[in-house]
């Protein structure tokens, strides 16, 4: 019986902490759409010709490739005569590295001595909010919008950035088209 108590008191909280850390690692996403829109009518798409995304040209291509591959895997076709048009833009903020604080102290006989410091952990990250808009070109109305928030390291390699944008696009498009 003591073994069960030990397991419940020690191991279960550890699993819970690991689970919560893993759940918090992915991008967060929210979507909004016009419920009056019949999304079954939308089969083809096209990118807006002028994108002012706030990202580099390389990152613009990474976003487009990620969204293209996911939409095309769902049967959507990129076309000049598109049923909906796609725009995206990003807002980025540099977030300083986390740090671990360390304190040392000693005292006795009415005299106390102490000191503290911090050790940086990891590197600076970019907190990115990426917004993906789908617009009906005939009505000139926004029909669907996805917003994702995710951090990535400022030192990310091109491969890591491609993976970042694929994860963001997958999270956003998980609920497109709305049912």
């Amino acid at each position: 019986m003591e073994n069960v108590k030990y397991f419940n008191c020690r191991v279960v909280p550890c699993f819970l902490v690991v689970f919560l850390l893993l759940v918090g690692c992915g991008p967060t996403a929210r979507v909004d759409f016009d419920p009056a829109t019949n999304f079954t009518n939308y089969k083809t798409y096209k990118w807006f010709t002028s994108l002012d995304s706030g990202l580099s040209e390389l990152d613009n291509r990474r976003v487009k490739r990620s969204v293209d591959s996911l939409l095309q895997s769902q049967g959507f076709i990129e076309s000049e005569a598109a049923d909906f048009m796609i725009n995206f833009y990003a807002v980025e903020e540099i977030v300083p590295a986390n740090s671990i604080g360390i304190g040392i102290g000693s005292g006795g006989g009415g005299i106390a001595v102490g000191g503290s410091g911090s050790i940086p952990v990891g590197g600076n990250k970019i907190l990115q909010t990426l917004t993906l808009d789908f617009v009906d070109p005939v009505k000139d109305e926004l029909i669907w919008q996805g917003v994702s928030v995710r951090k990535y390291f400022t030192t990310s390699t091109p491969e890591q950035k491609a993976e970042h944008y694929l994860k963001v696009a997958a999270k956003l498009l998980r609920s497109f088209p709305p049912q």
Side-chain angles (χ1 to χ4, degrees):
M1 189 67 171
E2 278 186 41
N3 289 341
V4 172
K5 283 184 185 177
Y6 177 79
F7 180 78
N8 287 340
C9 293
R10 303 279 187 202
V11 177
V12 173
C14 289
F15 282 122
L16 183 60
V17 168
V18 170
F19 174 76
L20 291 174
L21 286 173
L22 291 175
V23 168
C25 291
T28 60
R30 336 179 271 287
V31 298
D32 193 12
F33 60 93
D34 181 358
T37 301
N38 182 0
F39 285 92
T40 59
N41 295 334
Y42 296 99
K43 304 288 183 208
T44 59
Y45 70 93
K46 175 177 149 180
W47 291 94
F48 274 86
T49 52
S50 61
L51 290 172
D52 187 15
S53 70
L55 298 174
S56 72
E57 182 66 30
L58 294 169
D59 283 341
N60 282 345
R61 286 197 300 258
R62 290 181 184 110
V63 171
K64 284 181 166 184
R65 280 188 206 120
S66 296
V67 172
D68 281 340
S69 69
L70 292 166
L71 285 176
Q72 290 168 11
S73 73
Q74 293 182 27
F76 292 95
I77 300 167
E78 188 171 8
S79 169
E80 283 300 313
D83 299 325
F84 66 95
M85 297 185 68
I86 303 175
N87 185 38
F88 67 90
Y89 54 94
V91 176
E92 296 183 329
E93 174 185 340
I94 294 182
V95 179
N98 293 329
S99 61
I100 295 176
I102 299 174
I104 300 173
S106 178
I111 300 174
V113 178
S116 67
S118 65
I119 300 171
V121 178
N124 288 341
K125 292 185 178 182
I126 295 174
L127 177 64
Q128 182 184 70
T129 302
L130 183 73
T131 303
L132 189 60
D133 291 336
F134 292 178
V135 176
D136 184 314
V138 174
K139 298 177 187 174
D140 195 28
E141 291 180 347
L142 181 66
I143 56 170
W144 184 92
Q145 182 178 67
V147 179
S148 171
V149 178
R150 186 166 195 257
K151 290 180 187 176
Y152 68 95
F153 284 104
T154 56
T155 56
S156 294
T157 64
E159 293 81 14
Q160 290 168 328
K161 284 185 172 188
E163 182 181 339
H164 161 77
Y165 288 115
L166 186 59
K167 285 181 180 179
V168 167
K171 186 84 168 196
L172 287 172
L173 295 174
R174 181 182 303 170
S175 58
F176 183 81
Q179 304 298 334

